[in-house]
Structure formats: C-alpha cells, structure tokens
Amino acid sequence: NIMAYLATHQHSLHAHEIPKERKDVRILVVDDDDLTRHLLGLALNGWGCECVEAENGRIALEKLEINPVDLVISDQQMPIMTGTEFITELHSRHKECSPPVILMSGDNHPELQNNARELGVEAFFRKPYQMETLLQTLESILDNRRTHAFVN
C-alpha cells in the first residue's frame, strides 16, 4: 500500500533520475481522505510531477476550470459526488479534451469496473494498491498508450 511504499522508498523517491518529460506533468489527485491524498501527492512530486489536490469532485471541477491537468487520479467513494459522478461531469464539461482518469476504490464490484470502462477510465485500481504499479501505469498513460488496466 502507499504508506508502506513511502516508508520503504522515501529515500529513493528523490534519488531516481526523473525523466525530463515528467517535470512538466500536472496531476490532479481527488480523494476525501487527507492522508491518502497527501501521501500520493508526495509520491508524485518525488516522481517529478506537479500535484494538485482536491478533497471532492466539486472542488476538483473548480480547480480544473482554473488550471488544466495532464491526468486525474480519483477515489470513487467521496462525499458530494462519487468518482464516477465526477468523471461524468468532467467529460460533460470538457468533451474531447478531458484528461485521462485513473479511478481508485476499495470496492471491487464488477459493476463499478464496467461502469468505469464505459466512462472511458484509463485504469482502475483497487485499494490498497502498489505504488510501483501505479507509477508504471501513469508512465504508460502519459506516453499516450491507452492501457485500460484494471488492477485488482
């Protein structure tokens, strides 16, 4: 899980040589859990990305109106609007130019995964997830390879 990864890899997050193209990447992390959101932001910053945080879908949509991002990582279970509701609204507002989205959830119901696929989600991760797998998926998406990886 993310906390174990950071505990064992904190020293190496900054030690890795960050590919130049990752330094211009902005990622929005949407999660109502402050600790999860902050730790994921730290890991992404260590990877060389600029991380923008939002505690729910409404705030995420407001932040996206001000500054676009290259990719969104969203939790599913949040107050105000769920991850899938957020993604639906994101696509409605941004049509063709919506950033790719990774959806995360502690819920592993096939219906949620099918709904995520139908919404065009690039990848689905069940919590807890392996940070290295997430970073590999991010790299693949950012390299313009649609992965549609559904990691359980």
Side-chain angles (χ1 to χ4, degrees):
N1 71 27
I2 189 169
M3 292 183 71
Y5 178 87
L6 287 173
T8 59
H9 293 87
Q10 186 175 14
H11 66 282
S12 64
L13 283 176
H14 298 289
H16 289 293
E17 185 173 326
I18 307 300
K20 184 173 175 133
E21 65 272 14
R22 301 299 173 237
K23 292 185 178 178
D24 295 328
V25 172
R26 296 183 79 233
I27 297 178
L28 173 63
V29 177
V30 188
D31 197 316
D32 61 314
D33 184 85
D34 294 339
L35 182 60
T36 300
R37 192 178 63 246
H38 183 67
L39 289 175
L40 182 52
L42 285 174
L44 294 170
N45 286 334
W47 194 48
C49 300
E50 179 185 347
C51 185
V52 179
E53 298 180 17
E55 55 268 21
N56 63 56
R58 188 193 77 232
I59 292 172
L61 290 167
E62 290 170 2
K63 288 188 176 201
L64 287 169
E65 292 299 322
I66 297 167
N67 285 310
V69 297
D70 299 293
L71 188 134
V72 174
I73 300 172
S74 178
D75 185 31
Q76 170 60 18
Q77 297 298 327
M78 297 181 289
I80 301 177
M81 79 177 44
T82 64
T84 50
E85 291 169 341
F86 161 68
I87 295 164
T88 300
E89 183 63 24
L90 173 68
H91 291 329
S92 172
R93 289 184 185 196
H94 296 279
K95 308 275 187 244
E96 315 293 312
C97 62
S98 288
V101 178
I102 293 175
L103 184 64
M104 297 183 170
S105 179
D107 181 5
N108 195 29
H109 290 299
E111 184 178 325
L112 175 58
Q113 290 189 25
N114 288 337
N115 192 9
R117 280 188 188 99
E118 290 171 5
L119 288 171
V121 167
E122 291 283 342
F124 178 91
F125 278 81
R126 186 175 186 274
K127 292 179 178 180
Y129 53 89
Q130 296 296 316
M131 181 57 72
E132 290 179 30
T133 305
L134 175 61
L135 292 178
Q136 289 169 354
T137 302
L138 286 170
E139 189 162 35
S140 178
I141 292 169
L142 293 170
D143 286 343
N144 295 320
R145 287 177 283 190
R146 292 183 60 91
T147 61
H148 289 289
F150 282 70
V151 179
N152 296 316

